[in-house]
Amino acid sequence: MDNLEKIEDLQSVLRKNPSDVQKRRELAVILSDSGFNKEALENFLYLSKLIPDDSEIYNNIGILYEKLKDNENAEFNYKKALAISPEDTDTRYNLGLVQINLKKYASAVENFEKVLETEDNDANVYFNIGLAHFRSENYEEAFKSFQKTVKIDDTDFYAHFYLGNIYITFKDYQNAKSEFKKVLVITPDYSWAYYNLAHIYELEGDFTECFNMLEKTLEYNPKDIETYKIYTRLLLAVGEFEKVREILTDAIEKIGHNGDLYYILAVAYKNLNDREGYTDNLEKSIKHFKTLTYPVQAVNAELKKLI
């Protein structure tokens, strides 16, 4: 019997006896496992009225609210579960996660640290403490937590990635590069690691490596508009106008219309002494002004000089 058949059978039983706690719990679990989150939530809420002192029910309600992107209600129900079973580390961990989403970083750290009182060697807990500190810009504490994460699990590429970002804030570019390279050993297709390496090489003035890393970024994330903008602006600065034309013509074909990309392409055509290409792309950049970060009036004035 598949899940849909089980759901139909359980619903049939509950129509006759709505207060059958065991059957309703079973139905709620199957609905949740099958991705019917709203329906599962309705059944768990019904159960919470029948059994108001069951912490597992409130934990499940919290999970379902979280899946439905309702973090406030998720937090409320996790707290209700903990009021009944304060030693439940799974619920406390879930509460910490949802508090990160709610930007209640201090509360999240407090809950994760309580989890560590019984599970002091959990890399995921240290990672989330680090994440909470990082998002609240407490980089020193975030650094300590991410270091503990990779000490327990050196394959956690997200922790290495955040360590790299913290090293950038500390202006320690050598260690930042080392962390991003560790990320790429673990997961070679992580485009953001290449992007951040490109940023460091740009700061160091190594444009050859910077361009290599930007190309790798686009290899793994070919629709990253910001990378196209940064890459082509740097190419313009070193006089690679034909390369800019090739890259952006291909990019627009892949991504679609974008005001900024058309404007940068217009600049390339201008430097290639191609008046038609210059004019055409200025017009397109104005037409797609919603994605144009350059002042539209200035672009209009530039176009009027040509017409």
Side-chain angles (χ1 to χ4, degrees):
M1 183 184 295
D2 64 20
N3 279 358
L4 288 177
E5 289 174 331
K6 289 178 184 176
I7 289 168
E8 288 176 6
D9 285 350
L10 289 165
Q11 286 175 332
S12 177
V13 171
L14 288 167
R15 277 193 289 270
K16 297 173 184 175
N17 183 11
S19 298
D20 187 330
V21 169
Q22 185 56 40
K23 294 297 183 184
R24 190 168 293 279
R25 189 189 291 266
E26 189 179 341
L27 175 61
V29 170
I30 294 174
L31 285 167
S32 179
D33 291 344
S34 302
F36 298 109
N37 296 323
K38 289 183 180 179
E39 294 81 359
L41 179 59
E42 288 172 5
N43 281 279
F44 276 120
L45 287 169
Y46 191 97
L47 283 168
S48 70
K49 294 174 184 176
L50 297 175
I51 323 171
D53 58 350
D54 189 320
S55 63
E56 185 180 348
I57 290 173
Y58 291 113
N59 183 54
N60 280 309
I61 290 172
I63 290 169
L64 288 162
Y65 272 125
E66 198 171 350
K67 287 180 178 179
L68 294 167
K69 310 298 182 186
D70 186 343
N71 291 310
E72 289 81 3
N73 270 316
E75 180 189 35
F76 177 77
N77 281 280
Y78 288 141
K79 286 182 174 179
K80 288 187 78 169
L82 287 170
I84 299 165
S85 299
E87 303 305 317
D88 187 334
T89 55
D90 288 341
T91 300
R92 195 168 292 281
Y93 181 82
N94 291 342
L95 175 58
L97 291 177
V98 83
Q99 286 175 329
I100 288 179
N101 293 335
L102 290 167
K103 300 182 181 180
K104 297 180 179 180
Y105 301 122
S107 296
V109 169
E110 183 180 342
N111 279 297
F112 289 130
E113 286 178 344
K114 285 181 181 177
V115 174
L116 287 175
E117 290 174 7
T118 54
E119 300 178 20
D120 63 352
N121 202 41
D122 190 320
N124 289 327
V125 178
Y126 283 114
F127 175 84
N128 283 298
I129 291 173
L131 184 61
H133 283 309
F134 184 87
R135 291 188 178 172
S136 60
E137 299 183 358
N138 187 351
Y139 298 122
E140 294 284 353
E141 290 302 316
F143 182 78
K144 293 175 188 176
S145 295
F146 289 132
Q147 280 194 316
K148 289 176 182 176
T149 304
V150 297
K151 185 176 181 180
I152 298 167
D153 179 9
D154 196 46
T155 66
D156 190 326
F157 71 92
Y158 284 120
H160 286 296
F161 181 76
Y162 278 105
L163 283 168
N165 279 291
I166 293 169
Y167 276 124
I168 288 177
T169 67
F170 293 163
K171 294 185 169 52
D172 184 345
Y173 301 130
Q174 290 307 310
N175 275 316
K177 285 191 286 188
S178 176
E179 291 297 334
F180 293 131
K181 287 175 181 178
K182 287 177 185 176
V183 171
L184 293 171
V185 169
I186 301 164
T187 176
D189 61 350
Y190 193 58
S191 66
W192 283 106
Y194 291 112
Y195 180 89
N196 284 352
L197 282 167
H199 174 61
I200 294 170
Y201 286 123
E202 181 190 356
L203 291 171
E204 293 179 337
D206 186 343
F207 288 99
T208 299
E209 279 303 305
C210 174
F211 292 156
N212 287 339
M213 293 300 103
L214 288 170
E215 286 174 3
K216 293 295 285 186
T217 303
L218 292 171
E219 177 184 340
Y220 292 110
N221 190 3
K223 294 188 177 182
D224 186 339
I225 291 175
E226 289 305 312
T227 298
Y228 280 115
K229 290 195 283 190
I230 291 166
Y231 188 20
T232 51
R233 283 169 184 164
L234 290 172
L235 287 170
L236 286 176
V238 296
E240 293 281 355
F241 308 123
E242 182 60 35
K243 190 167 185 178
V244 171
R245 187 192 66 77
E246 292 173 5
I247 290 169
L248 290 186
T249 300
D250 181 59
I252 290 166
E253 187 175 330
K254 289 177 182 173
I255 298 169
H257 303 298
N258 181 274
D260 276 352
L261 297 189
Y262 281 126
Y263 182 76
I264 297 168
L265 188 53
V267 174
Y269 275 112
K270 177 183 178 182
N271 283 280
L272 289 167
N273 298 312
D274 185 331
R275 185 184 180 89
E276 183 180 348
Y278 180 25
T279 304
D280 181 51
N281 282 283
L282 283 178
E283 289 174 344
K284 287 177 179 176
S285 71
I286 294 166
K287 182 179 179 182
H288 300 283
F289 65 90
K290 289 183 180 179
T291 52
L292 179 66
T293 60
Y294 300 91
V296 176
Q297 288 181 335
V299 180
N300 260 316
E302 190 174 345
L303 179 60
K304 285 179 182 178
K305 289 180 182 178
L306 289 170
I307 297 174

